[in-house]
Amino acid sequence: VEFRVPTGSTKTLLVWGLEPELEPGLEHCLFSAFSKFGPLYSVRAHRNAAVAGPGYYAIVKFYSAGDASRAQRVCNGQRLFQKSPVKVCVCTKQKGFQQQVLALNSNKCQELANHYLGFNGWSSRIITLQNVSGFDGENEELGKTLQKRSVKYLCAVEVTLPNHGLRTRGVALGEADVENDADPLELVTASRRVQKLAAGKALSSAFQKILLIVLENGKVAVEYNSTQEELTDSLTEEELKGLVQVNELSLEQFDLEEEEVLSDLSFDDELPSLEMPSN
């Protein structure tokens, strides 16, 4: 199991024959029924096409193909939470499935880690959080030079799995434009949002280097994902802080592609599992 958005059809179940009366709480019912077999990435219910008659079908996506296969064998032909049996199949066609590999957002990474490793089975801390802001691009308009303020923070996070003797690091960039940098409140608000975004993306980046091996007896082994190895894991803490502060640093390499978007984050919330570095 990787800390990535699941791709491929073998991790996805198609559930149909869902009764129309279940509409208000259908996705909750589906989640309760299928999460017994393993952690779920998503549950989506859809109304049947008109030619198929009243009712619903659903797409249930697991992180593990083994969990999906087991759920299909047990649930197919069962009533589950309704009066008539449902039909469940593992999707077999690749067409239409997302093949781009995206990192899980930090919240889902923490959910997955808590499920397989336990709440005390891992920890994380912020090594450094640096303001790398500057002025981006000058545009000439009507004889005036217009500048747009961009707030940027670069964050380094370390994830530790004490029971497995594994430690990984992630570095990521958070960025947002400030329309009116003369307004102190807007600048502070943007800075807090960007700090949280950078910390979340760095946490996600650190989890990308961890592979969870789930055995049939339920035990979990952990491996270091060597395909994701970066220079940041071999540096000392002081060397890493120095790297972040280098002026010639290319920020683009830390712009992690993940599913998390800035608008989903509330700057009033703290990241509960991250520790800020002391001065």
Side-chain angles (χ1 to χ4, degrees):
V1 177
E2 295 182 281
F3 288 86
R4 296 178 174 273
V5 176
T7 59
S9 58
T10 57
K11 300 175 183 178
T12 305
L13 298 183
L14 173 63
V15 185
W16 72 100
L18 297 168
E19 297 171 354
E21 302 83 42
L22 297 170
E23 180 180 7
L26 179 55
E27 290 186 350
H28 176 74
C29 292
L30 288 163
F31 183 89
S32 298
F34 286 96
S35 61
K36 298 174 183 176
F37 300 94
L40 303 179
Y41 171 72
S42 64
V43 176
R44 297 287 183 268
H46 306 275
R47 191 183 301 274
N48 288 342
V51 294
Y56 293 84
Y57 70 94
I59 304 295
V60 179
K61 184 171 288 190
F62 285 82
Y63 289 100
S64 163
D67 290 344
S69 177
R70 192 158 51 93
Q72 187 276 329
R73 292 195 303 270
V74 173
C75 295
N76 185 39
Q78 300 299 314
R79 290 184 173 83
L80 299 182
F81 42 78
Q82 61 178 32
K83 297 178 181 178
S84 59
V86 300
K87 295 182 180 180
V88 184
C89 72
V90 176
C91 295
T92 55
K93 294 183 179 180
Q94 293 288 340
K95 184 178 180 181
F97 278 87
Q98 171 191 310
Q99 295 303 316
Q100 183 184 8
V101 178
L102 295 176
L104 284 180
N105 68 43
S106 58
N107 290 333
K108 287 188 179 294
C109 284
Q110 293 176 80
E111 290 175 3
L112 202 58
N114 288 338
H115 177 86
Y116 284 115
L117 303 173
F119 290 97
N120 297 320
W122 67 279
S123 64
S124 63
R125 68 184 182 95
I126 292 178
I127 298 173
T128 186
L129 182 62
Q130 296 286 342
N131 188 338
V132 292
S133 304
F135 288 91
D136 293 340
E138 296 185 357
N139 299 316
E140 299 269 339
E141 182 180 346
L142 299 177
K144 292 184 178 180
T145 302
L146 301 178
Q147 293 180 321
K148 195 171 188 179
R149 181 73 178 269
S150 177
V151 179
K152 295 181 183 179
Y153 275 84
L154 197 63
C155 183
V157 167
E158 182 175 80
V159 171
T160 303
L161 278 58
N163 297 334
H164 300 275
L166 184 64
R167 181 174 297 174
T168 67
R169 291 171 177 168
V171 179
L173 175 72
E175 180 179 7
D177 289 333
V178 180
E179 296 297 332
N180 181 16
D181 62 310
D183 183 351
L185 179 59
E186 183 175 346
L187 187 59
V188 170
T189 299
S191 295
R192 293 180 64 187
R193 288 172 62 86
V194 171
Q195 287 175 22
K196 179 170 174 130
L197 176 63
K201 292 174 72 173
L203 178 64
S204 176
S205 176
F207 273 116
Q208 302 312 300
K209 304 170 189 177
I210 298 173
L211 286 174
L212 302 175
I213 313 299
V214 185
L215 308 177
E216 289 188 6
N217 60 8
K219 292 185 177 181
V220 177
V222 174
E223 290 186 5
Y224 183 87
N225 188 353
S226 58
T227 61
Q228 299 294 320
E229 187 172 3
E230 295 178 359
L231 173 65
T232 54
D233 285 334
S234 60
L235 297 175
T236 66
E237 191 166 311
E238 291 304 315
E239 287 173 335
L240 183 58
K241 290 181 180 179
L243 173 67
V244 172
Q245 293 171 344
V246 172
N247 292 334
E248 289 79 15
L249 183 68
S250 174
L251 300 180
E252 286 77 11
Q253 63 179 306
F254 300 118
D255 195 6
L256 177 71
E257 275 207 55
E258 63 167 6
E259 56 172 336
E260 195 164 53
V261 293
L262 183 61
S263 60
D264 290 337
L265 299 172
S266 169
F267 65 86
D268 287 328
D269 298 329
E270 299 295 331
L271 285 173
S273 61
L274 297 182
E275 299 176 2
M276 294 295 293
S278 57
N279 293 328

